[in-house]
């Protein structure tokens, strides 16, 4: 498979680009909802448009009413989301929950897929159990209780948890915290008794929750996949989430870079456009090089993942780490090259910096994934 | 030496008697700092008491001459006072741009009358000053400023706009660079002082990415400034400005090192085990940070001894601010998702994130890193070209 | 597709029959590479056999037309041959600047006669070429070259000096940029070919920091070059040179990725436990290296499909060479004091250190990193100014 | 104490600078001996001049015939050595062996100090036991044998070992490899039976050895300090060696930077001096900043060490790491900015790159010392 978008993918990119620039722009969405202190951190109307466009259910199998597309296609939408800083539950709902639900029973699919495909429902995932992403260790417990389970524990960084109709929770049904086996995934409806959430606004104006499971009773049919055998589905969900976040990071990097390069062509100092100064030229060219490398790494990881390759896991971590570091460079250079106005809320470049910070942290930061690269490479 | 030891023990007793317990704690937020000025109010009785005790001794500005409200201390005595205040964590009794910036300029360029008048006001915390340097079109290229003061006999009529005037909405007076000659670029600027309540002055706070608004835009619309409200000669304000900029960089270099002096990894409040790659990055950062602390110390020692290259503050400012940005990147990384929170109680209203964003201005304000590097290349390395 | 599958199986059989076991091993050192030329000798019977088999099939230059000694393969077939050779680790039968550089230039700019003559010689390994571009005074600023060819009717008389002529002391002929018009900077250069045995040509090897001397200085003293030994038109040699430079960067970009394709940490032969900070640095490097490998693949795929920005090879060359330098820094660090050894047996004559030093030229030769960044800034980002 | 050289130190710096530029220059020493494939890798005549100048014994106590100076003063000489790439046994003999012998018995001092002070003898230290510096672990054994000891083991990276009249060997008299206690230091004369060395030339043209101790019999009076209690003296020797190597690295960095800045003022390209190009200006200015920081860190470490401060250990590692990284930056930027000629043996800049590599590795590289900084800081 050639390492560039095929014709269908290029068409999708065109339509996603146009849609996001028109409907998902910073002015229309991020600033709009932020300035209204929206409790969701995104607009439900736009999310329904995602449904109408076919984006919301793009990764859902055709049999289940979706478009049956892969990580490459989802990444195309995510890159545009990143460029426009469009707030939406696409990554947690369509990509992560969508991937997990693909492995669920027919009943569960019937219950949750239609709302996802239409963009009428929002799903979240509850994985982290501390301020850093460490999904190797899961302490949240799910004990057998009658025909079902009783969940207890706490989860952090549940993005869109406050708006979610259903939250996928990874819990331990056997073994000790860091065991590979003994993990089970649950689809937990929002109104489940014993579940409470403490919503916090994040630096990028999105809303996440600290989630508490205090003996949440669930039927056995809330289990996604196999009891005790949830690690594999969890890994797939993680991979999709990571490479998706990486794609969005590439979008953030591109958006920040484009803003900055434009600024270099407009701002004058000492009687010259600042883009004429060689030191800034070299830094901009270096940034461009990094962005191109990150894009290629993300696309490679998406293709490997869609092809079910064994190398996918390694490349997903490469992509997440590289995209995060590149977006970090892009926003830092962006703010610095904008000078004073880069520090003002009025200009958009600072919004890129904020989004990058949250996104880089989501599903493991560059340090975590570099460590994984080392581990997977045997050192 | 004996005199100094005596001074130390006297100072210790005086502090014991005059610095309230409440004033012996680290500054937690903006409100713990007393800025003075017409509209100032004290946060607590202790704050007031401490301030007034210091005013009486001249210890709001310990090294300024006594006749201008200062403490009249020698450099060695001032250092002892600093050390003794540091020992008990005493808060500064008064903070202000008058102390840090205008004061030094007046001491060097002001008339005797100006010194008596303005310095005393500053020392007593009566007037709060702000700075009017930058303009929207002139960032690093300060000298391209457009604000114009037209000569109208016994006063100037000033029109224009300044940006990045710190706390202009709370300040009483402004020291301001104004073009008074359109023909001469450098020698056409004057350093004027005027009341922010003058007719025609208005301000608008600038909201920053950190969510705070410490800076304003300041607009001047036919503002009358009497001719005696100038520091230095007419059209020679650039000399004053340059001196102040140098002083500012020196100050940033010398005092900005506060929290950089400690090992980042050691100081960090961590939950759980540190990621090994992040630990390594912190370790490499701590090498840089602790090495920089040595440079800060060396710089201060050389400054006191009159050694060192006069352009060295540019190096210090560059390295120190870039390091501080990196420090906060690592603090954010170590804090993980918790540190992303924007207004939660647990983060004291998003302190880690807001501080992190605030540091991004470090390498812009007071001369960008790019300008610092230009200056080092030209003045220290003596590289050729424009 | 069926045809290609058939070609693959034929190729496989042909390789089985013609590529000796000895030629199916990685190249260990310079002597394992056959460069051809008048004074060439084979290192082994197997090397000779493999070379001759390839010459017969045109597989020294598989994609060149058959009439010029090539294999006449389509792009798809050439790729299959590459893959099948790769599968059995077959060594290239012949390496030369004639194949990599002059050949492509002749294919684009040469006359039919030149192609027949020179390309066939190259394909058959009869003539070894070297490149005469740089001069002592003109590094990155190639076009400032001074070597002058004076028009003497049916020939030019060339005087001047070239530097960085690879293996000029071993080459038979040189392709050489010569100024033929002093008035026109760009349109005053011609692309000449001449025999290194011509009267007036002399070479002097340049000793490098790695201890090797792969490059020479080449001196031309009244060298006569017949008028038909020119590629392209008179005074239009810059077009040929630019094409070749682009081709060179593309080649460096596309093939330089060899050992970058693997994880550094995984590939390293380590003694004892890895230092944790070094491990972290390697991990961060491997992120960069593996990501770059993806970019290499994407670049090649886009090249084949005619996609991608024409200035992209500059990005590739920049990023790839900077990474390779860093890779060898880390290899040296991991190797510790052992890797410092300069001529010990255990290090195969100081291989780690010499390779490390060699990589420092990566970001200089074929266009410095600085030039690459200039080009990216101008041609891709379209930034303004000189 | 002010963090700059006092008047005496400034005078010493002047004389060391003049001496090294005149007698220790690259042409006179490094190239001279290298091109003759000198087996020592340095010139004995110069080493005797070190003795005459008082440099060789500068750290030796006045009672023992030296100048009784400290690490600051030795660092002054080392910085000049670094600037001129002067090959000499100063660091291993005067600084490291000198520091260790300062803790030796009167008999041992009497035996070894005079030759050191006069520059007639050369001493080396044998600490590393593998390609990386890991002195926490010492496997070389010294077993009791009659009145003395019997040493067995191997040592690597014994710089000047082949020319050394005496080698200080760290061996284990009790406990297991990584025990803090149980280490003993021995002064091993060159002609000791059972000791053999395999000399290798290094990238910087210095000569080091792989040393083999095959039942080397030593009298009890060869012990430096206490039996089993050698760790403290070893640590002092390590600290002196590390901060000394750091000082030399700063000299290497300065030498490389000065060469490069000069070149930027001479070389023309595109009709301009390359020093006019802003991208190079900024890189040069950044390098200057790093060099200044490294100098300050090294001086601070030297002062703390000389004052016997508890913070010295941390700062020594900071200094070694920072100086190594800075010199690495200086030589890489130096070679790159020199362009093609930077790759030639004819120009000196490549020699700085080679020396930096060996020096950075000596007594622990920046990675090792950064790790130590983390450990000493409790993380």
């Amino acid at each position: 498979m050639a390492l560039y978008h095929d014709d269908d993918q290029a068409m999708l990119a065109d339509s996603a680009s146009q849609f996001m620039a028109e409907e998902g722009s910073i002015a229309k969405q991020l600033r709009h909802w932020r300035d209204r202190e929206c409790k969701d951190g995104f607009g439900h109307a736009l999310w329904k448009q995602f449904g109408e466009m076919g984006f919301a259910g793009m990764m859902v199998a055709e049999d289940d009413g979706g478009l049956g597309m892969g990580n490459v296609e989802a990444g195309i939408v995510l890159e545009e989301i990143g460029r426009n800083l469009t707030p939406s539950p696409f990554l947690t709902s369509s990509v992560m929950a969508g991937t997990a639900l693909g492995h669920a029973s027919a009943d569960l699919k019937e219950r949750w897929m239609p709302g996802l495909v239409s963009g009428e429902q929002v799903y979240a995932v509850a994985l982290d159990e501390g301020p850093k992403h460490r999904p190797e260790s899961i302490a949240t417990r799910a004990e057998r209780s009658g025909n079902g389970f009783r969940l207890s524990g706490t989860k952090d960084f549940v993005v869109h948890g406050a708006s979610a109709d259903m939250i996928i929770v990874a819990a331990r049904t056997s073994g000790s915290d860091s065991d590979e086996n003994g993990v089970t995934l649950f689809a937990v409806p929002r109104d489940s008794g014993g579940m409470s959430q403490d919503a916090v606004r994040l630096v990028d104006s999105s809303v996440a929750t600290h989630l508490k499971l205090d003996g949440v009773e669930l039927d056995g049919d809330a289990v996604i996949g196999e009891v005790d055998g949830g690690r594999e589905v969890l890994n797939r969900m993680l991979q999709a989430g990571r490479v998706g976040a990486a794609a969005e990071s590439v979008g953030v990097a591109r958006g920040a870079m484009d803003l900055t390069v434009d600024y270099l062509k407009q701002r004058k100092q000492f009687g010259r456009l600042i883009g004429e100064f060689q030191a800034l030229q070299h830094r901009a060219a270096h940034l461009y090089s990094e962005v191109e490398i990150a894009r290629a790494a993300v696309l490679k990881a998406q293709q490997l993942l869609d092809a079910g390759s064994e190398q996918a896991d390694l490349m997903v971590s490469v992509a997440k780490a590289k995209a995060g570091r590149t977006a970090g460079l892009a926003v830092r250079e962006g703010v610095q090259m904008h000078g004073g106005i880069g520090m003002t809320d009025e200009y958009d470049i600072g919004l890129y910096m904020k989004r990058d910070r949250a996104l880089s942290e989501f599903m493991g930061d560059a340090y975590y994934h570099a460590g994984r690269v080392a581990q997977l490479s045997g050192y | 030496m004996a005199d100094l030891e005596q001074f130390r023990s006297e100072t210790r007793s005086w502090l014991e008697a005059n610095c309230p317990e409440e004033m012996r704690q680290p500054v937690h937020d903006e409100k713990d700092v007393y800025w003075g000025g017409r509209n100032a109010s004290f946060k607590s009785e202790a704050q007031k008491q401490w301030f007034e005790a210091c005013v009486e001794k001249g210890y709001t500005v310990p090294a300024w001459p006594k006749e201008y409200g200062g403490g009249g201390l020698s450099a060695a005595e001032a250092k002892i006072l600093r050390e003794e205040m540091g020992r008990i964590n005493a808060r500064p009794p008064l903070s202000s741009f008058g102390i840090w910036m205008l004061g030094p300029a007046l001491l060097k360029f002001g008339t005797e009358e100006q010194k008596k008048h303005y310095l005393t006001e500053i020392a007593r915390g009566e007037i709060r000053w702000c700075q009017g340097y930058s303009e929207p079109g002139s960032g690093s290229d300060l000298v391209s400023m457009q604000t114009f003061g037209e000569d109208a006999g016994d006063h100037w009529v000033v029109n224009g706009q300044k940006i990045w005037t710190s706390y202009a909405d709370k300040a009483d007076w402004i020291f301001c660079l104004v073009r008074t000659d359109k023909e001469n670029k450098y020698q056409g600027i004057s350093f004027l002082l005027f009341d922010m309540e003058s007719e025609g002055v208005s301000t608008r706070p600038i909201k920053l990415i950190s969510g705070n608004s410490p800076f304003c835009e300041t607009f001047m619309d036919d503002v009358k400034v009497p001719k005696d409200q100038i520091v230095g000669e007419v059209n020679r304000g650039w000399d004053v400005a340059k001196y102040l900029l140098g002083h500012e960089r020196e100050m940033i270099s010398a005092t900005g090192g506060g929290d950089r002096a400690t090992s980042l990894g050691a100081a960090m409040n961590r939950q759980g085990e540190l990621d090994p790659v992040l630990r390594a990055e912190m370790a490499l950062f701590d090498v840089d940070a602790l090495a920089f602390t040595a440079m800060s110390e060396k710089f201060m020692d050389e400054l006191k001894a009159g050694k060192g290259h006069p352009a060295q503050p540019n190096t210090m400012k560059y390295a120190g601010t870039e390091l501080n940005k990196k420090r906060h990147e690592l603090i954010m990384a170590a804090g993980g998702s918790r540190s992303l929170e924007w207004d939660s109680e647990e983060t004291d209203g998003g302190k880690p994130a807001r501080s992190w964003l605030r540091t991004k201005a470090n390498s812009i304000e007071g001369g960008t890193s790019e300008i610092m590097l230009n200056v080092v290349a030209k003045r220290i390395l003596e590289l050729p070209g424009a």
Side-chain angles (χ1 to χ4, degrees), chain A, chain B:
Chain A
M1 192 178 343
L3 198 53
Y4 49 78
H5 289 150
D6 65 25
D7 291 347
D8 288 346
Q9 290 161 347
M11 265 175 56
L12 173 63
D14 281 346
S15 79
S17 170
Q18 197 185 335
F19 171 78
M20 224 63 72
E22 281 171 12
E23 304 298 331
S25 70
I26 292 177
K28 262 198 188 163
Q29 299 293 335
L30 178 59
R31 283 191 184 274
H32 179 87
W33 297 114
R34 183 194 75 157
D35 293 348
R36 277 156 192 75
E37 295 187 10
C38 161
K39 295 284 174 211
D40 291 308
F42 66 89
H44 283 280
L46 181 75
W47 182 228
K48 284 195 188 112
Q49 280 181 283
F50 268 65
E52 287 156 22
M53 293 290 290
F55 294 155
M58 65 192 296
M59 290 183 85
V60 173
E62 292 183 68
D63 286 351
D64 298 324
L67 299 180
M69 289 177 165
N71 288 285
V72 173
E73 288 80 8
I76 287 169
V77 173
L78 281 160
E79 195 169 328
E80 297 305 324
I81 285 176
R83 286 176 68 194
N84 294 283
L85 304 181
T86 313
S88 88
F90 181 77
L91 183 53
T92 63
S93 304
S94 305
V95 176
M96 297 189 70
T99 295
L101 289 172
H103 298 272
S105 65
D107 280 358
L108 267 187
K109 283 184 184 172
E110 210 170 305
R111 176 158 183 199
W112 298 114
M113 285 303 199
L116 172 57
V117 171
S118 66
E120 307 211 2
Q121 296 209 309
V122 169
Y123 306 146
V125 295
L127 304 176
D128 293 359
E129 299 183 342
K132 297 300 287 185
H133 180 68
R134 294 279 157 76
E136 302 79 19
S137 171
I138 291 171
T140 296
R141 295 274 149 183
E143 286 166 359
R144 291 275 181 187
S145 161
N147 283 338
F149 295 86
R150 201 180 144 82
L151 274 61
S152 298
T154 59
K155 296 281 183 179
D156 290 317
F157 204 14
V158 184
V159 175
H160 305 313
S163 324
D165 298 284
M166 181 271 285
I167 301 176
I168 295 181
V169 174
R172 182 158 291 292
T173 33
S174 69
S176 62
D177 290 7
S178 53
D179 279 1
E180 174 79 12
N181 292 321
V183 173
T184 305
L185 297 185
F186 295 90
V188 184
R190 73 173 312 154
D191 47 8
S192 302
M195 180 165 82
S196 60
Q197 297 189 75
D198 176 20
V200 285
R201 188 168 301 277
L202 302 185
V203 63
D204 63 343
S205 301
S206 71
V207 178
T209 67
H210 298 280
L211 182 149
K212 204 167 167 196
L213 300 153
D214 194 4
V216 177
E217 300 276 354
L218 292 173
D219 284 349
D221 58 12
V223 172
I224 301 175
E226 303 293 318
V227 173
D228 279 352
R231 181 65 73 177
E232 202 190 318
V233 179
L234 172 58
N235 284 344
R236 282 168 200 257
M237 183 166 67
L238 282 172
Q239 287 174 333
R242 287 163 179 175
V243 82
E248 189 174 341
S249 278
V250 166
V252 169
R254 286 183 60 203
M257 178 173 73
D258 291 348
L259 260 188
T260 305
V261 169
D262 279 353
Y263 187 72
L264 294 179
K265 295 175 184 174
Q266 287 161 22
R267 170 77 169 170
K268 277 197 170 186
Q269 290 276 274
F270 306 103
R272 291 162 68 189
L273 291 169
I274 60 173
E276 292 180 48
F277 290 102
Q278 196 197 31
L280 298 192
Q281 290 188 342
H282 279 200
R283 281 159 55 184
H286 172 70
L287 173 58
Y288 169 82
S289 171
E290 291 293 286
V291 172
E292 286 294 295
I293 293 171
R295 283 183 90 174
V298 170
L299 182 56
K300 182 72 188 176
Q302 291 163 341
Q303 286 190 354
L304 289 172
L305 208 51
D306 288 341
S309 162
E310 275 183 14
Q311 298 167 58
D313 200 29
L314 174 65
M315 206 60 203
V316 165
S317 277
V318 167
K320 180 70 168 80
K322 185 71 192 178
R325 281 168 80 79
T326 301
L329 178 70
V331 299
R332 288 194 305 275
E333 287 287 46
V335 166
Q336 178 68 20
M337 291 189 190
H338 273 77
I341 62 153
M343 293 302 299
T344 65
D345 187 72
E346 191 185 337
Y347 276 73
D348 288 342
I349 189 69
L351 300 174
Y352 282 91
M353 178 169 268
K354 291 172 172 181
R355 178 62 187 147
D356 164 56
R357 173 50 68 188
L359 192 55
S360 291
E361 193 65 43
F362 187 66
M363 292 298 120
D365 67 7
Y367 303 119
Y368 171 81
H369 285 288
R372 271 194 105 235
V373 167
Q375 260 172 354
L376 292 170
S377 304
Y379 69 100
Chain B
M1 280 312 255
D3 283 356
L4 287 180
E5 277 321 297
Q6 198 192 329
F7 177 76
R8 188 184 293 278
S9 83
E10 282 171 13
T11 301
R12 212 173 271 197
S13 314
W14 182 83
L15 285 170
E16 206 43 61
N18 289 282
C19 185
E21 206 51 43
E22 224 182 306
M23 292 294 104
R24 303 185 191 189
Q25 289 165 34
V27 170
H28 292 301
D29 60 37
E30 192 55 21
K31 282 182 190 158
D32 292 341
V33 181
Y34 182 64
W35 289 88
R38 291 174 188 147
N39 306 312
S41 61
F42 293 102
K43 191 200 171 189
S44 66
E45 190 52 36
Q47 195 181 53
K48 179 164 184 268
Q49 207 182 312
W50 174 226
F51 168 74
E52 285 171 353
C54 285
V55 167
E56 206 187 308
K57 286 283 271 187
Y59 281 2
T60 54
V61 284
W64 289 10
K66 283 194 172 174
E67 62 264 45
Y68 311 139
L73 301 192
S74 70
E77 288 169 337
K79 191 182 170 191
I80 286 173
L81 175 59
R82 256 197 321 274
E83 285 168 1
E84 289 302 317
M85 284 179 63
R87 212 176 48 80
I88 62 166
N89 272 322
R91 290 183 182 165
L94 176 66
S95 295
S96 89
F97 293 103
I99 296 176
W100 302 325
M101 310 208 48
L102 179 60
L106 284 171
L107 282 166
K108 188 168 170 75
F109 295 96
T111 63
E112 187 54 34
E113 218 170 14
Q114 288 174 332
K115 287 183 200 176
K116 275 246 165 63
H117 180 69
Y118 294 119
L119 291 179
T120 308
E121 281 182 347
I122 291 169
R124 306 184 62 85
E126 291 165 358
I127 292 294
R128 182 169 176 176
W129 287 86
C130 65
Q131 178 201 50
Y133 274 28
S134 295
E135 299 184 8
S138 70
S140 292
D141 186 11
L142 202 53
V143 84
S144 69
M145 68 184 69
Q146 301 293 323
T147 293
F148 189 66
E150 194 166 358
D151 193 330
D154 66 340
H155 65 274
W156 288 281
V157 178
V158 176
N159 280 286
Q161 180 188 350
K162 292 288 172 184
I163 195 169
W164 307 124
T165 41
S166 307
Y167 301 112
D169 50 343
K170 292 174 183 148
D172 305 310
W173 276 62
I174 187 170
F175 49 97
C176 189
L177 289 179
V178 171
R179 183 160 293 292
T180 40
D181 180 347
K182 289 186 179 172
E183 306 303 311
N184 287 300
K185 203 173 172 187
Y186 288 91
Q187 301 205 354
I189 294 169
S190 298
F191 192 100
L192 305 188
L193 314 175
F194 55 86
D195 195 320
M196 291 294 280
E197 287 180 5
S198 310
E199 205 174 322
V201 178
S202 59
T203 63
R204 189 170 66 192
I206 302 169
K207 190 173 171 200
L208 296 188
I209 55 176
S210 62
N212 302 325
S213 299
F215 300 105
C216 293
E217 290 177 285
T218 298
F219 304 90
M220 275 83 60
D221 185 14
D222 282 340
V223 177
K224 286 186 190 172
V225 179
K227 280 278 171 83
D228 62 347
Q229 291 177 197
I230 183 173
V231 181
E233 291 173 41
V234 178
N235 290 331
R236 298 308 294 262
W238 186 241
D239 296 344
V240 185
K242 261 198 313 186
Y243 172 77
L244 263 192
L245 282 172
H247 186 81
E248 187 182 2
R249 279 165 207 169
E250 227 167 65
M251 201 181 66
I252 294 175
S253 307
T255 65
D259 75 335
R260 287 197 292 270
T262 52
S263 155
L264 168 64
M268 201 102 65
N269 198 351
R270 288 183 308 273
Q271 294 184 271
E273 212 184 310
L274 204 51
D275 177 277
V277 181
L278 176 56
R279 173 185 177 272
E281 288 285 285
M282 279 188 192
L284 290 168
F285 173 83
D286 272 339
V287 166
D288 289 340
L290 293 167
F292 180 78
T293 304
M295 166 128 136
S296 289
E297 187 185 338
K298 184 159 177 273
F299 171 75
M300 285 299 290
D301 286 347
E302 288 178 340
L303 204 65
K304 272 178 264 166
K307 289 167 181 271
H309 195 287
Q312 197 74 341
N314 297 280
T315 314
M316 292 291 302
K317 201 226 165 227
Y318 164 68
T321 56
E322 292 296 333
L323 262 182
N324 202 38
K325 290 194 297 181
K326 195 162 179 195
R327 167 181 287 270
H328 282 264
E329 290 284 343
L330 290 169
I331 290 172
M332 288 298 284
S337 57
R338 177 61 86 184
S339 68
L340 299 175
E341 297 177 8
W342 191 239
D343 43 23
S344 66
E345 252 177 64
E346 287 77 4
T347 59
D348 199 4
K351 216 157 200 180
R354 291 171 197 263
S355 301
W356 161 67
L357 288 164
R358 175 64 185 83
T359 61
K360 299 304 175 189
N362 294 165
S363 54
I364 298 169
E365 61 204 348
T368 64
S369 283
E370 289 76 17
I371 294 290
M372 298 300 108
L373 291 172
N374 282 346
V375 175
V376 172
K378 299 293 151 49
R379 290 184 49 202
I380 299 182
L381 301 179
E382 299 178 341
L383 287 171

